[in-house]
């Protein structure tokens, strides 16, 4: 048995000491970070892979704001891959597989296809995929005969402006503008359609200048997997739909089966970055780095909905865990991600100042429009539900998904939950929450005299505070309105 001499610290046990600052405005602060090799974020925030936090709408919104989402794994592999696909298709300056239709199809069929795919145009091709024309909503809107063939109203090939497969964003924008058109088909040497650029997608790019994008202009997204045999095909399905990285996520990440899974993933998908976790010690970080992880998630029992520390007695207070793990990560050149327990921008700043490259947020984002599930009203106030992924209801839901049906009531009693289900206040759009959080972080960085995250790591000086200091740190001796 060992007893460590120093108490572990968490966010409320410390403050950051202000330093001389050359920064005149918060806008001079750069919050960019490297999450993984080849994956940069403008804001160092990930949305948690929890079923009350991240499905496609959250992942789209957070990637547009400059962070990234991790699609949870508590659904069938098919549904998870479909969520990845939706994120990758949400925005791109090239639609890689545009929806096509044959020239002989009816206008009614064309309208159905457009509605189903929620798009305003179809590319008309022959059986070999060669371009014959373009059909847009405008072409069919006032057509008298819905059974008329597409070719009777489409813009035919000779009147179309097209571009080569490797068309660049600038020249595409110019072509769309000069010809006052909305769609630019991309064709190969044989006139086969290899993509489509639309004016709407280029406008969307301009709306979100901080968005986290891959080389094709698509939003980035991660996919969470577990450590069991079916998780390999799950990973493969998500990667096929374009997932940018995988997150091997189990409660106790410093474990042999996690190491085996990470090594296997690195063998099977050598070009895919892998985040692994969760751990709470430098040994855990080194263990996962040795298995091949590209980044490690830190936090055991620190989450808002966690009961791991109560049920098992295990955990490390989160600030100490981040400080120690980030130091180990720094020696290995490996980013660590602070996961769990962040309640406000002050906690976020402290987590990053302690050495994390980014932070994962659960409950703080669960109350937004983009989190899964409807809002509920209690005593006249609006809430949304957040639940631990090891809570009773999440465990039952997972078993039902695995069995593809309801489970025996006896099985309910076999569950030993390590998380709870809870209500969080409804908070509106995630973009607004992120704006506040990043504003607070920028302000915090300016108190440290840090223009960048590496400078924050360098300059950060923590001071431990007493319960009296904690009282002084919040509004006191006034009645807050
Ligand atoms: P916050 O505090 O941001 O934490 O809501 C989110 C993180 O909590 C972890 N998590 C759990 N931990 N039991 C646990 O001990 C659970 O049921 C549970 N569900 C989520 C997870 O790391 C998440 O990102």
């Amino acid at each position: 048995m060992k007893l460590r001499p120093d108490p572990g610290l968490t966010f409320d046990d410390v403050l950051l000491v202000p330093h001389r600052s050359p920064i005149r405005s918060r806008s001079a602060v750069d919050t960019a970070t490297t999450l993984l090799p080849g994956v940069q974020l403008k804001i160092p925030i990930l949305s948690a892979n929890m079923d009350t936090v991240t499905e496609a709408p959250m992942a789209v919104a957070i990637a547009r704001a400059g962070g990234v989402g991790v699609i949870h794994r508590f659904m069938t592999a098919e549904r998870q891959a479909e969520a990845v696909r939706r994120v990758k298709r949400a925005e791109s300056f090239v639609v890689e597989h545009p929806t096509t239709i044959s020239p002989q199809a009816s206008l009614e069929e064309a309208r159905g296809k457009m509605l189903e795919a929620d798009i305003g145009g179809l590319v008309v091709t022959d059986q070999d995929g060669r371009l014959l024309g373009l059909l847009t909503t405008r072409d069919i809107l006032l057509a008298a005969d819905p059974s008329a063939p597409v070719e009777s109203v489409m813009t035919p090939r000779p009147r179309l402006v097209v571009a080569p497969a490797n068309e660049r964003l600038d020249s595409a924008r110019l072509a769309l503008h000069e010809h006052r058109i909305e769609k630019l088909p991309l064709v190969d040497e044989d006139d086969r359609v290899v993509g489509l650029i639309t004016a709407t997608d280029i406008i969307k790019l301009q709306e979100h200048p901080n968005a986290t994008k891959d080389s094709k202009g698509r939003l980035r997204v991660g996919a969470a997997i577990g450590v069991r045999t079916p998780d390999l095909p799950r990973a493969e399905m998500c990667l096929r739909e374009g997932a940018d990285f995988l997150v091997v996520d189990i409660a106790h990440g410093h474990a042999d089966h996690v190491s085996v899974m990470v090594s296997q993933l690195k063998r099977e998908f050598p070009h895919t970055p892998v985040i692994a976790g969760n751990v709470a010690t430098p040994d855990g970080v080194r263990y996962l780095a040795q298995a091949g992880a590209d980044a490690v998630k830190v936090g055991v029992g620190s989450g808002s909905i966690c009961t791991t520390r109560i049920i098992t007695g295990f955990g490390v207070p989160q600030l100490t865990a981040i400080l120690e793990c980030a130091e180990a990560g720094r020696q290995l050149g490996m980013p660590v991600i602070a996961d769990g327990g962040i309640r406000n921008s002050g906690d976020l700043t402290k987590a990053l100042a302690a050495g994390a490259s980014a932070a994962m947020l659960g409950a703080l984002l669960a109350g937004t429009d983009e989190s899964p599930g409807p809002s509920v009203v209690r005593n006249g106030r609006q809430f949304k539900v957040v639940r631990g992924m090891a809570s009773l209801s999440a465990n039952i839901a997972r078993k039902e998904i695995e069995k593809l049906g309801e489970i025996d009531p006896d099985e309910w009693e076999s569950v030993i939950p390590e998380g709870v289900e809870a209500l969080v206040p409804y908070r509106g759009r995630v973009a607004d929450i992120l704006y506040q959080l990043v504003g607070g972080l920028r302000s915090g960085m300016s108190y440290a005299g840090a223009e960048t995250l590496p400078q924050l790591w360098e300059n950060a000086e923590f001071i431990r505070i007493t319960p009296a200091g904690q009282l002084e740190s919040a509004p006191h001796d006034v009645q807050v309105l």
Side-chain angles (χ1 to χ4, degrees):
M1 196 276 287
K2 266 198 271 183
L3 178 63
R4 289 175 50 160
D6 295 328
L9 302 173
T10 192
F11 301 121
D12 280 350
D13 294 317
V14 297
L15 285 171
L16 283 155
V17 180
H19 276 217
R20 189 183 71 79
S21 178
I23 298 160
R24 283 165 179 270
S25 146
R26 277 192 276 164
S27 59
V29 169
D30 182 2
T31 59
T33 192
T34 298
L35 177 70
L36 286 161
V39 182
Q40 269 80 36
L41 306 178
K42 293 271 173 45
I43 66 170
I45 296 178
L46 293 90
S47 64
N49 43 293
M50 294 164 66
D51 69 355
T52 47
V53 181
T54 311
E55 291 184 359
M58 175 65 76
V60 167
I62 194 162
R64 282 185 177 150
V68 74
V70 182
I71 306 284
H72 71 86
R73 63 188 168 92
F74 301 93
M75 52 180 136
T76 60
E78 289 75 16
R79 259 198 70 209
Q80 189 181 14
E82 167 62 19
V84 169
R85 197 172 80 92
R86 280 182 57 200
V87 182
K88 298 307 287 185
R89 287 207 142 199
E91 205 168 288
S92 145
F93 88 91
V94 177
V95 180
E96 284 197 313
H97 303 288
T99 313
T100 58
I101 194 154
S102 102
Q104 287 84 35
S106 69
L107 296 184
E108 197 169 3
E109 198 182 319
R111 193 193 304 267
K113 266 197 168 188
M114 288 190 207
L115 278 176
E116 192 188 319
D118 193 19
I119 49 176
L122 297 171
V123 181
V124 187
T125 54
D126 67 12
Q127 280 150 338
D128 298 323
R130 286 199 183 80
L131 183 63
L132 297 178
L134 260 185
L135 183 81
T136 67
T137 342
R138 242 178 292 164
D139 298 325
I140 56 174
L141 222 46
L142 299 177
D145 178 9
S147 63
V150 162
E151 61 192 348
S152 63
V153 297
M154 70 184 188
T155 308
R157 172 69 182 92
R159 284 185 21 223
L160 290 179
V161 181
V162 299
N166 58 356
E167 179 74 339
R168 292 177 32 158
L169 177 60
D170 293 353
S171 34
R173 184 187 288 132
L174 201 69
L176 289 164
H177 176 66
E178 274 186 352
H179 299 279
R180 303 291 192 274
I181 52 176
E182 283 178 9
K183 293 186 167 51
L184 185 65
L186 305 181
V187 291
D188 65 12
E189 313 79 58
D190 295 328
D191 216 30
R192 264 189 277 263
V193 178
V194 290
L196 179 73
I197 295 180
T198 74
T200 325
D201 286 334
I202 292 192
I203 291 164
K204 269 198 221 155
L205 288 187
Q206 292 163 346
E207 277 171 15
H208 306 290
N210 287 338
T212 307
K213 298 276 181 94
D214 65 17
S215 57
K216 293 179 178 156
R218 303 175 302 178
L219 296 172
R220 286 200 189 273
V221 62
I225 60 165
V227 291
R228 292 198 261 170
T229 321
D231 285 300
L232 263 188
R234 177 184 284 273
E236 195 172 357
M237 284 167 74
C238 291
L239 291 174
R240 216 179 302 134
E241 295 299 348
D244 294 275
F245 59 92
L246 295 169
V247 178
V248 181
D249 181 53
I250 68 165
H252 183 27
H254 190 174
D256 296 354
H257 50 204
V258 179
S259 165
V260 170
M261 185 56 152
V262 171
S263 314
Q264 202 166 353
L265 288 173
K266 294 307 286 188
R267 260 199 317 277
E268 305 249 338
F269 314 109
H271 305 298
T272 301
V274 174
I275 299 175
N278 278 17
V279 300
T281 61
D283 274 351
V285 172
R286 286 188 281 269
Y287 184 73
L288 293 180
Q290 205 165 13
D294 298 283
V296 168
K297 224 147 52 83
V298 173
V300 173
S302 48
S304 56
I305 33 51
C306 302
T307 54
T308 295
R309 293 181 187 174
I310 296 166
I311 301 301
T312 70
F314 277 78
V316 176
Q318 185 66 346
L319 190 85
T320 294
I322 301 169
L323 281 165
E324 294 183 351
C325 291
E327 177 53 26
R330 197 184 57 76
Q331 286 167 10
L332 296 161
M334 192 171 71
V336 306
I337 298 157
D339 178 21
I342 291 176
R343 300 153 302 172
N344 47 46
S345 52
D347 290 350
L348 173 66
T349 309
K350 289 173 188 174
L352 295 166
S357 292
M360 179 170 260
L361 308 180
L364 205 46
L365 305 181
T368 58
D369 290 328
E370 291 82 355
S371 68
S375 61
V376 295
V377 175
R378 292 280 158 85
N379 299 326
R381 289 184 57 207
Q382 220 178 336
F383 295 90
K384 286 194 85 166
V385 172
V386 61
R387 67 177 179 185
M389 296 321 308
S391 63
L392 178 63
S393 65
N395 265 293
I396 301 299
R398 178 163 59 238
K399 283 172 192 273
E400 286 180 346
I401 289 163
E402 280 164 9
K403 274 195 166 178
L404 295 174
E406 267 186 37
I407 62 159
D408 207 306
D410 289 350
E411 283 201 49
W412 281 65
E413 283 162 30
S414 68
V415 175
I416 300 169
E418 287 187 27
V420 295
E421 208 171 342
L423 292 177
V424 284
Y426 167 71
R427 291 195 169 104
R429 292 181 339 138
V430 73
D432 298 334
I433 301 285
L434 293 172
Y435 180 81
Q436 290 296 324
L437 280 174
V438 176
L441 170 62
R442 285 174 177 280
S443 204
M445 288 172 69
S446 76
Y447 276 95
E451 278 163 352
T452 62
L453 278 188
Q455 281 176 15
L456 179 66
W457 299 333
E458 181 94 18
N459 296 0
E461 184 187 355
F462 286 101
I463 183 168
R464 279 161 67 166
I465 58 173
T466 61
Q470 283 168 6
L471 279 180
E472 188 187 57
S473 299
H476 52 89
D477 301 306
V478 291
Q479 188 143 13
V480 176
L481 292 174

